Amino acid sequence: MEFYLNNKYFGIAFLLFLTVFSCKDKEDTSKEPLKKAVVYEMYQPSEMAGFMNAMYAYNQQLKSQIVAGGTPTSLPLDLLKLHSAEMTAGKSRTENWQSFVNVFIASQKAIVDTLGKTELKERYNTAINNCLNCHKTECTGPIPKIKKLLIQ
């Protein structure tokens, strides 16, 4: 042991060892850490979702008009778009959907049929119930919103 303590090279090596391993990089706490930029993806509705929203708005107007005692005479929406509009990703036109869409189109056209034999309110509610029936099997999300369209 005396050899190591008296050996000048050992002393230098030992001091060098202590210097290297005792000097640690200390973090600079005076600077704020870099923040990563947050990138938001904007929701882009499909063509079908956009068309469904337009139909909802149209039916809100119809409801107001009917409740106020008015009689709608025209159908401004091209309901045949239901057959061609691009569906939401992961969705497709199933046989079930195909059977509902034609019934819905007929019931929506019946609302503006001035020669209709049934009461206007009943024709309107039939069209809205057709929406609900389809949405019970295909896309359940908007059901509470659609129920608000019914005339009590």
Side-chain angles (χ1 to χ4, degrees), residues 40-46 49-50 53 88:
Y40 296 101
E41 289 186 37
M42 294 296 292
Y43 169 71
Q44 294 294 325
S46 68
N53 285 328
T88 301

Side-chain angles (χ1 to χ4, degrees), residues 49-61:
F51 189 68
M52 291 283 178
N53 285 328
M55 284 193 306
Y56 179 81
Y58 169 69
N59 280 297
Q60 274 185 314
Q61 290 174 339

